[in-house]
Amino acid sequence: MVRTSFWSEVGVSSEHDPLKKMGWHVKNKAPARSTTILFILILFFGVYMYSNYCIDSNLLSRSTPAPVNNQIVQDQKSTFKRIEIPLNCSAGKLTRTCPTNYPENVGEFASTTECPNYFRWIHEDLLPWKNTGITLDMVESAKRTANFRLTILDGKAYMEMYMKSFQSRDMYTIWGILQLLRRYPGKLPDLDLMFDCVDWPVIKTSDYQGPNATSPPPLFRYSGNAETLDIVFPDWSFWGWPEINIKPWNILSKEIQEGNRNTKWIDRNKYAYWKGNHFVSPNRRKFIKCNVSAKNDWNARLYAQDWRSETLKGYQNSNLATQCTHRYKIYIEGQAWSVSEKYILACDSPTLLIKPIYYDFFTRGLVPMQHYWPIKANDSCRSIKFAVDWGNDHIEKVQAIGRAASNLMHEGLKMDNVYDYMFHLLNEYAKLLRYKPTIPPKAVNICSETLACQADGTAKRFMMESMVKSPSDSGPCTLPPPFDPPDLQDLLRKNDDSIKEVEMLEGKFWENQPK
């Protein structure tokens, strides 16, 4: 807009123009009145201008130590302007090519918050390569079990597929990484990695120990355990699981919160609830025997989930947002770690967590008796019975456990933090590379368009619901430092002591029961 007056140039709107306030209206000829009056008005106006100049100069001297170039100010403002990144699926171009107009860099943004404490495990997962770094041979040696290879160069993603994953795990994992690139365009360094979409980790620590041991291959996946070195990464379901109609986390977490509000904890069924596929592992087949029967009531209400039947029924009985109806929820691993853990912990009901072997990227931040109630794996029925009875007698304490876990899921695990975890993990990983990544010969350029423009049905809907539409207007949270070894050992010891304390209470409870 072209400004036409001095007052508009200095930022004063026409209704506040001092000339109008004094009743002065500019005409083609001067008023035919006494020159004395005219002189007085001009003098008054001069004094008015000078006084305002002095006041403005004084204020400027306090707040602005030096003149600022207007162009720099405009550039800074434009840097922070939210940019919309449309999905370009134009007619005739339902294509496998990527647009050329993606924003490459949106400026520098300061971190505004500190990352949750579970981010510290990023350093631990990358510790095996701290001294040696990561070579091209190490990366390529992980190809043996990998589903795909991902290379990022100059902010663009390239993928080479090795073998198809179960269902759409690979596609939604890649989709999540592409959304990270949309959230922080131009911010990720060049990198090169292998990803395995199977549940259980495969890089055994014992294979890389001893004086003649080689460095382990860096392999990304969804879970790990104490005996393996796989690098854990957020699982595919954060962006949706279309095969069983589980919505993206940004949608589902809000629905679970609404379900929490619909049924107050004190009004919920006073038993422990679990629903799932008990055929996937021996532990679950044993665990299902803890269900209520004519002979025993272990305070557990367990329901077998038949996914084939649910698929035919349109998942009418599988809405996770409506399953927060019991005072206690149970988590048990399947073949390995289970994607169900975050949904169970999000319910405001204390989670009875059957001692796990595996962990994912956030569960190492869980503290026993603060975020969950520990349950014995080898005596789960009696352990559940005691936990529910104790909890119903100590309502305030178990409610606090349920609320703490739910808060961790809805706030500590909100999508902002999921993306920031991915960002920091990939950034720290890239620092370890001892070679300059290049595009693998069989890799193809991928972007949101190459996946979403060709999807349909539920898969397409979940992509649209989880798509990042604009770059973030702030930087990632600040990554906390690594654990000091004594601090880490102290943390693990305290967690172990809490579990032992519960087991001691449980042992005394059963000792006092009639034989």
Side-chain angles (χ1 to χ4, degrees), residues 457-507:
T458 303
K460 177 68 170 281
R461 176 165 57 88
F462 285 177
M463 287 183 179
M464 294 299 96
E465 290 175 345
S466 62
M467 186 174 70
V468 171
K469 297 179 175 60
S470 300
S472 174
D473 56 6
S474 62
C477 60
T478 302
L479 180 65
F483 291 105
D484 288 330
D487 291 342
L488 179 56
Q489 292 303 314
D490 187 55
L491 172 66
L492 298 176
R493 180 187 57 78
K494 287 180 179 178
N495 288 349
D496 192 48
D497 287 347
S498 293
I499 294 172
K500 289 179 179 177
E501 185 177 349
V502 173
E503 291 177 348
M504 182 181 66
L505 289 173
E506 183 181 326

Side-chain angles (χ1 to χ4, degrees), residues 283 286-288 290 298 332 354 375-386 506:
N283 285 342
K286 181 180 178 182
F287 158 73
I288 203 72
C290 298
W298 302 109
I332 182 172
I354 297 176
I375 298 294
K376 291 179 180 177
N378 58 357
D379 194 9
S380 57
C381 298
R382 297 206 314 165
S383 198
I384 290 169
K385 165 71 174 173
F386 167 70
E506 183 181 326

